[in-house]
Amino acid sequence: MIDVLVVDDDMRVAEINAAYVAKIAGFRVSCLAHSAAEALAALDTHPVDLILLDHYLPDETGLQLVADLRRRGLLTDVIMVTAARDIATVQAAMRHGALQYLVKPFTFAGLRSKLEGYAALHRTFESGGQAEQSEVDRIFGALGAAGAGSTELPKGHSTATADRVRSVLRSADAPLSAQDVASQAGLSRQTAQRYLKLLERTGRVRLTLRYGETGRPEHRYEWV
């Protein structure tokens, strides 16, 4: 599980963001904080993997808090979740090492796409080892690719249908064929195939081939 600290000065917004996080498989909210001081105190007792961080806090800005963390040697990952949209703040967030930046107001799908991208990144880092250039490129593109695949579907595609296909793949223990996905998602094979190809193009699904004794190889799909 990926432990998350939600930091927002508005208690209601913090609770909503925490509820969103709790809906996403593989994530759990460790605690909430409503100021930089509360966030630092929380981290002293509950180390986390990721901070969802508002910029506008009552005692200091979110970016000042990130700087404090780095001075203390805490390398906790940060995704900014804030109404601050001026380019100077966005640029500063990048330079302070924020992995992503989500502008308020946002939808659940918008946050989910960022967290799914982060989860893919987290799994890659946990695996360790050496990286070829292709792997480095995938690491640096992980967060951006997730957003493109989850929040901006091409015309004629349904978010609800994409979610059904995504759910089937994420719960599978092994790669599935298009027919397997169609049966479990309650879709036609043609529809399942169309969404699988879309998710493959956005980097969320990996395609492999299974060769039998005769005939064409079967396409198998798995969630990345």
Side-chain angles (χ1 to χ4, degrees):
M1 297 291 288
I2 295 173
D3 289 312
V4 181
L5 167 63
V6 176
V7 184
D8 198 292
D9 68 318
D10 187 316
M11 295 179 65
R12 182 172 178 276
V13 171
E15 290 172 355
I16 291 172
N17 290 349
Y20 278 170
V21 172
K23 291 182 178 181
I24 303 172
F27 289 84
R28 65 187 172 198
V29 177
S30 174
C31 48
L32 308 182
H34 309 296
S35 68
E38 287 184 14
L40 289 171
L43 290 170
D44 282 340
T45 55
H46 298 91
V48 299
D49 302 293
L50 176 67
I51 303 174
L52 294 186
L53 179 61
D54 188 16
H55 183 58
Y56 298 121
L57 302 175
D59 45 357
E60 64 181 22
T61 68
L63 293 183
Q64 288 172 330
L65 172 58
V66 176
D68 288 344
L69 295 176
R70 301 308 182 234
R71 281 194 294 270
R72 294 173 182 226
L74 296 175
L75 302 179
T76 311
D77 295 324
V78 174
I79 293 179
M80 300 297 296
V81 180
T82 177
R85 59 181 67 212
D86 58 286
I87 296 300
T89 300
V90 175
Q91 182 184 42
M94 293 178 63
R95 289 177 173 173
H96 280 74
L99 292 178
Q100 258 293 2
Y101 199 107
L102 188 60
V103 177
K104 296 177 181 177
F106 56 87
T107 63
F108 170 61
L111 178 61
R112 182 183 61 199
S113 71
K114 298 294 187 288
L115 293 186
E116 288 181 347
Y118 175 77
L121 194 67
H122 191 264
R123 288 192 297 270
T124 299
F125 290 155
E126 288 286 299
S127 67
Q130 301 292 312
E132 300 296 335
Q133 183 62 53
S134 59
E135 181 72 1
V136 172
D137 291 342
R138 189 175 70 80
I139 289 171
F140 275 87
L143 290 164
S150 300
T151 61
E152 298 181 9
L153 294 176
K155 185 176 180 179
H157 288 74
S158 160
T159 299
T161 303
D163 284 346
R164 288 161 68 182
V165 172
R166 182 186 297 112
S167 178
V168 168
L169 290 171
R170 291 187 63 178
S171 62
D173 295 327
L176 301 176
S177 68
Q179 185 58 57
D180 293 333
V181 174
S183 299
Q184 294 183 39
L187 304 170
S188 70
R189 187 184 184 284
Q190 291 77 9
T191 298
Q193 185 76 58
R194 186 157 56 97
Y195 281 83
L196 287 167
K197 288 182 177 179
L198 172 65
L199 291 170
E200 182 198 353
R201 288 198 301 271
T202 59
R204 306 308 297 139
V205 166
R206 180 184 296 114
L207 168 65
T208 57
L209 300 179
R210 187 174 74 175
Y211 291 88
E213 295 181 0
T214 60
R216 299 172 61 184
E218 182 181 43
H219 289 194
R220 309 285 287 185
Y221 301 89
E222 62 181 329
W223 188 255
V224 176

